[in-house]
Amino acid sequence: MKAIAAGIGVVFLSPLLLAGTGMMLAVSADAVQNNVSFNGCLTDIDADDVAEQVAKILDGASGKNAHIEGLDLPAEQVPNAQTIVATGRSLDIPKKGQVIALVTAMQESRLRNLNYGDRDSLGLFQQRPSQGWGTAQQIHDPVYASEQFYKHLLKVNDWQQMTVTQAAQAVQKSGWPDAYAKWESLATALQAAIAKTFPGADKDAKDQGEQPATGCAPDSDGSGFGRIPEGSVPKGYKIPKNADPKARKAIEWAMYQLGTLYQWGGSCTDSHGPDPMGRCDCSSLMQQAYAHADITLTRTTYTQVNEGKAVSPSQLQPGDLIFSRGTASRPEHVGMYMGEGLVIEAPRTSKPVRITPIKDWTILAARRVL
């Protein structure tokens, strides 16, 4: 019954939806190709401006003069976003789940109900009939496609503890697992703008709270320190005064290892000693640094990415673990955020433990273990 209610409710709330679906089926390959070329990171989203333009479009405005960064055809894309949000609400999916769905549709179809895709992929989420997502006709129904996405999301263990990118990839299993992150700020703004148009929006905001978007990078990127000689502390750096005492202790211990050579599989229990296996690799540096702050971490990067709780790379605090290389669910490298846009890491064979600016990192995930 909820599925039926979602479909009826969405159509009732926006007369554009029925017309929009037909328009999107006919979208040209050239238009999609232009959108696929987008590689930016949407971090400077004006949520109030988005809300104003979304409200006008959903109120019947043509959308021809609307400009929402990241949406090149908002008159088509916003109604589809409304369908995704409305369907999520009908299934009692929390705000974060709705944002995950929006991020996924933005990356997979640019919020267009496509009648083509890779192999037999179709629709908003590029779901495949051959993979059990439903018939082609069903997948072309935006409400059905949204319901299927949410049902698959709910089957992912601890999805609410994952980053938006990790959760989207857990459902989609994309060949481009890290591409979702760039859409999160826009998806968050869209979800908030659309949610305001529904009855009970104030209660929803109070119950769910505001969840900061992951974004693509923290405020400071460390570039202000200039070139940092390997194994040295940048001139002027001090551990931030507001750092958690345990994080401070972990950072201090990690800094004591600066200049010692990387050793794959090394325990990091005697990095200054003669035995190479006492030196640090990336994950043992994290493990031992926090062990000296009385916090136990698992041994490998693959497991540390599940430690603690997921945090936004735009909201990093000193001591947070950040992950890169590989994929968001299976990263191959880890470092520790030090504040001031800096990261301490054991990088790779032949390189010493060092401090690097975070601008040099492609952040796949971040975890707070305190």
Side-chain angles (χ1 to χ4, degrees):
M1 291 300 293
K2 280 190 172 183
I4 296 173
I8 294 173
V10 172
V11 173
F12 174 78
L13 285 165
S14 177
L16 289 173
L17 286 173
L18 288 174
T21 298
M23 293 167 63
M24 281 177 277
L25 288 174
V27 71
S28 71
D30 290 340
V32 175
Q33 183 59 43
N34 288 338
N35 243 350
V36 170
S37 68
F38 175 79
N39 292 310
C41 180
L42 299 170
T43 55
D44 298 323
I45 299 297
D46 185 335
D48 291 336
D49 182 61
V50 171
E52 180 180 351
Q53 295 191 66
V54 164
K56 289 179 180 178
I57 292 171
L58 295 182
D59 197 38
S62 69
K64 290 183 179 179
N65 297 321
H67 175 73
I68 300 175
E69 186 179 2
L71 302 183
D72 63 344
L73 294 172
E76 297 180 7
Q77 294 160 312
V78 169
N80 273 332
Q82 186 194 41
T83 300
I84 292 170
V85 172
T87 305
R89 289 169 61 90
S90 76
L91 296 173
D92 296 325
I93 304 295
K95 172 183 175 179
K96 182 174 182 178
Q98 296 169 32
V99 170
I100 292 167
L102 288 170
V103 161
T104 303
M106 287 176 185
Q107 174 57 28
E108 299 296 343
S109 70
R110 302 303 185 263
L111 279 172
R112 296 168 179 173
N113 194 12
L114 303 179
N115 62 355
Y116 60 91
D118 178 47
R119 287 168 284 191
D120 59 337
S121 299
L122 299 166
L124 287 173
F125 299 93
Q126 289 291 278
Q127 295 157 342
R128 299 180 60 191
S130 66
Q131 300 300 309
W133 287 92
T135 66
Q137 183 178 7
Q138 288 174 320
I139 292 171
H140 272 310
D141 176 355
V143 174
Y144 174 89
S146 299
E147 287 178 342
Q148 289 301 304
F149 179 86
Y150 287 126
K151 288 177 180 178
H152 281 72
L153 177 65
L154 293 176
K155 293 178 181 178
V156 176
N157 290 332
D158 299 323
W159 67 268
Q160 294 196 61
Q161 306 307 314
M162 297 178 177
T163 64
V164 166
T165 295
Q166 287 174 314
Q169 173 61 6
V171 175
Q172 296 297 106
K173 298 177 175 60
S174 169
W176 303 94
D178 307 316
Y180 301 104
K182 62 177 173 281
W183 302 106
E184 187 176 348
S185 293
L186 176 57
T188 301
L190 277 177
Q191 191 281 335
I194 293 168
K196 290 178 182 178
T197 68
F198 291 96
D202 292 340
K203 180 180 182 298
D204 288 348
K206 182 178 180 181
D207 290 344
Q208 296 178 17
E210 290 299 319
Q211 301 173 11
T214 299
C216 303
D219 292 336
S220 175
D221 65 4
S223 59
F225 290 100
R227 180 181 175 277
I228 305 171
E230 289 189 337
S232 68
V233 179
K235 184 178 180 180
Y237 171 77
K238 293 182 179 179
I239 300 174
K241 292 181 179 180
N242 64 347
D244 183 282
K246 289 184 180 292
R248 177 180 295 275
K249 199 167 185 178
I251 293 170
E252 288 174 345
W253 190 90
M255 289 173 67
Y256 180 68
Q257 318 312 314
L258 284 169
T260 62
L261 284 177
Y262 175 98
Q263 175 61 52
W264 185 84
S267 66
C268 203
T269 54
D270 187 14
S271 65
H272 294 273
D275 182 2
M277 296 311 294
R279 299 173 190 165
C280 309
D281 65 13
C282 65
S283 55
S284 65
L285 178 63
M286 304 299 105
Q287 183 189 48
Q288 292 302 316
Y290 266 111
H292 285 78
D294 298 320
I295 292 177
T296 300
L297 298 183
T298 52
R299 173 62 181 86
T300 70
T301 304
Y302 304 134
T303 55
Q304 287 176 2
V305 74
N306 298 313
E307 300 274 7
K309 63 180 180 179
V311 294
S312 163
S314 65
Q315 302 290 325
L316 291 177
Q317 295 180 8
D320 288 345
L321 305 185
I322 63 173
F323 298 84
S324 68
R325 304 176 197 165
T327 67
S329 60
R330 192 172 174 80
E332 297 174 358
H333 187 55
V334 61
M336 184 184 297
Y337 187 62
M338 304 171 64
E340 305 297 329
L342 298 176
V343 184
I344 189 165
E345 62 170 344
R348 61 182 182 275
T349 301
S350 81
K351 292 291 185 178
V353 174
R354 66 186 183 184
I355 295 172
T356 55
I358 203 165
K359 68 180 180 63
D360 294 341
W361 285 66
T362 298
I363 304 175
L364 303 179
R367 307 291 293 189
R368 185 160 298 150
V369 298
L370 296 172

